[in-house]
Amino acid sequence: MKLEISNLTSQVKCILDDALFLNGQTKLWGNQMSLLGNVAELDSMSVMNVVAAIRINFGIFMDDEDINAKVFSSLESLANYINEQLSSSCHQEGCA
């Protein structure tokens, strides 16, 4: 179930907005928006809310080793991670 990256990024913005209670702030974010250290609401506890929302919205179960600064460094890195996971699961399941 690979999505077009621009659509995926928009969905990730919505997920972050909801999970972090940002009241629409993500609408102003560009794809290169730095998350860690730049979004005060993104702390260790709220990361778990984001992980849960990713699981619910995309069916992706993030391994503990994937919950790291590289994946959560920017909006783009998080969207790319999700895209890779979706591509990988489709590859395994034979998705188109």
Side-chain angles (χ1 to χ4, degrees):
M1 184 179 105
K2 188 173 181 178
L3 299 172
E4 185 178 316
I5 197 69
S6 62
N7 291 340
L8 181 60
T9 303
S10 294
Q11 288 181 340
V12 172
K13 283 181 183 182
C14 290
I15 288 169
L16 290 169
D17 202 75
D18 290 343
L20 303 176
F21 305 102
L22 295 173
N23 299 317
Q25 292 178 38
T26 59
K27 291 178 185 176
L28 304 174
W29 294 0
N31 292 352
Q32 299 297 318
M33 174 67 174
S34 177
L35 299 176
L36 294 179
N38 197 35
V39 180
E41 294 84 358
L42 188 62
D43 59 20
S44 58
M45 293 302 291
S46 62
V47 165
M48 298 316 295
N49 289 338
V50 174
V51 168
I54 289 170
R55 184 181 69 241
I56 291 166
N57 286 277
F58 298 107
I60 295 171
F61 292 88
M62 292 183 74
D63 292 329
D64 289 344
E65 68 246 12
D66 292 338
I67 302 170
N68 60 51
K70 181 180 176 186
V71 171
F72 283 88
S73 65
S74 69
L75 178 60
E76 182 178 51
S77 65
L78 184 56
N80 284 335
Y81 170 81
I82 294 168
N83 195 40
E84 289 170 10
Q85 298 305 305
L86 291 172
S87 298
S88 174
S89 67
C90 283
H91 179 70
Q92 293 170 2
E93 298 170 7
C95 298

